[in-house]
Amino acid sequence: MTILPREFFAQPTLTVAQNLLGQHLVRAVEGQHLRGRIVETEAYLGPEDTACHASKGRTPRTEVMFGPPGRTYVYLIYGLHYMLNLVTEVESFPAAVLIRAIEPLAGLDLMRQHRQRQPSQTMPLRQIGNGPGKLCQALRIDKSLNGWDVTTGQTLWLEAVEPLPKMAIASGPRLGIDYAQAADRAAPWRFWQRDNPFISK
DNA sequence: CAGACGATTGCCT
DNA sequence: GGCAATCGTCTGT
């Protein structure tokens, strides 16, 4: 078992976004390891990318993206949902990869418990982590984990798996960024594992 | 300090 | 397909 090191994240963001597909995201909570395979990501490419929060400048919220790679950027959206990003590139270049979906592998009961609204029925496996807000809820990720260093192997980290072959990776425009300029809206910077049933949408 | 709004989700018709 | 939920962050007064 190898924990993804800082060098993995200190690369071009489009490279990291594709290489993250298939890797295991692990969250330690209540003495358990909740584990999911990353199956969908989106790249946010820094100050020139008008879809990237950091294009608006350096603010308290975007500060962590200006820091070293290998840390989390976690923020609240719509007052309801947390989003998990991993900071990429060299320090002071503000870019990150949004984790959009995971395929649950271990700790399923606790993940379901985190996601459950009515405890009466069992949530289908597909719906546990097939969206950026859903996977944060399943893994109990909130603002307290913003800025977390994922290379320490504690609390939240990534474990290395063989990267997917290029053939297995599909790409398309990013979602929910109507506020961005046309060219940025159209850029195919969302990546997912082809034919995987656990992607969002 | 008021106002606008968002890298979404789930429920309703 | 439409739309409400719900609040931190940012902007402009």
Side-chain angles (χ1 to χ4, degrees):
Chain A
M1 186 275 287
T2 307
I3 295 172
L4 290 186
R6 199 166 317 285
E7 304 86 67
F8 179 93
F9 302 96
Q11 299 180 79
T13 307
L14 292 174
T15 302
V16 178
Q18 292 169 85
N19 288 350
L20 275 171
L21 294 175
Q23 310 296 328
H24 290 189
L25 179 63
V26 188
R27 163 76 159 128
V29 59
E30 286 183 22
Q32 291 193 48
H33 287 181
L34 309 182
R35 176 182 299 267
R37 260 182 95 248
I38 298 174
V39 295
E40 182 180 347
T41 61
E42 276 178 4
Y44 288 87
L45 299 212
E48 305 300 310
D49 173 11
T50 59
C52 182
H53 291 164
S55 68
K56 308 285 199 303
R58 194 166 185 152
T59 68
R61 183 174 64 149
T62 61
E63 182 64 29
V64 67
M65 274 197 281
F66 288 81
R71 300 216 187 150
T72 62
Y73 166 43
V74 179
Y75 67 93
L76 181 68
I77 189 67
Y78 298 112
L80 295 167
H81 310 291
Y82 292 100
M83 302 282 111
L84 170 65
N85 297 257
L86 300 169
V87 176
T88 58
E89 312 255 1
V90 296
E91 182 159 0
S92 88
F93 186 88
V97 173
L98 172 69
I99 308 301
R100 282 199 59 93
I102 58 168
E103 173 181 344
L105 296 179
L108 307 185
D109 289 344
L110 190 49
M111 286 194 208
R112 277 205 174 91
Q113 210 172 301
H114 290 152
R115 289 273 295 127
Q116 215 58 261
R117 290 209 156 200
Q118 297 108 331
S120 51
Q121 48 199 3
T122 309
M123 173 161 301
L125 197 58
R126 315 263 166 121
Q127 294 174 30
I128 293 179
N130 65 334
K134 296 180 188 179
L135 71 90
C136 283
Q137 189 180 19
L139 299 178
R140 203 191 290 177
I141 290 168
D142 63 22
K143 195 75 187 302
S144 68
L145 279 173
N146 186 41
W148 184 259
D149 184 343
V150 297
T151 66
T152 66
Q154 308 238 15
T155 307
L156 182 69
W157 66 92
L158 291 108
E159 292 181 14
V161 174
E162 278 299 296
L164 294 184
K166 282 278 187 253
M167 287 289 298
I169 300 178
S171 65
R174 296 169 292 178
L175 303 179
I177 53 165
D178 290 349
Y179 58 87
Q181 287 178 6
D184 293 325
R185 286 203 302 270
W189 295 342
R190 170 175 171 244
F191 302 95
W192 64 93
Q193 179 180 17
R194 197 182 297 281
D195 299 326
N196 185 291
F198 295 89
I199 62 174
S200 69
K201 257 178 148 168

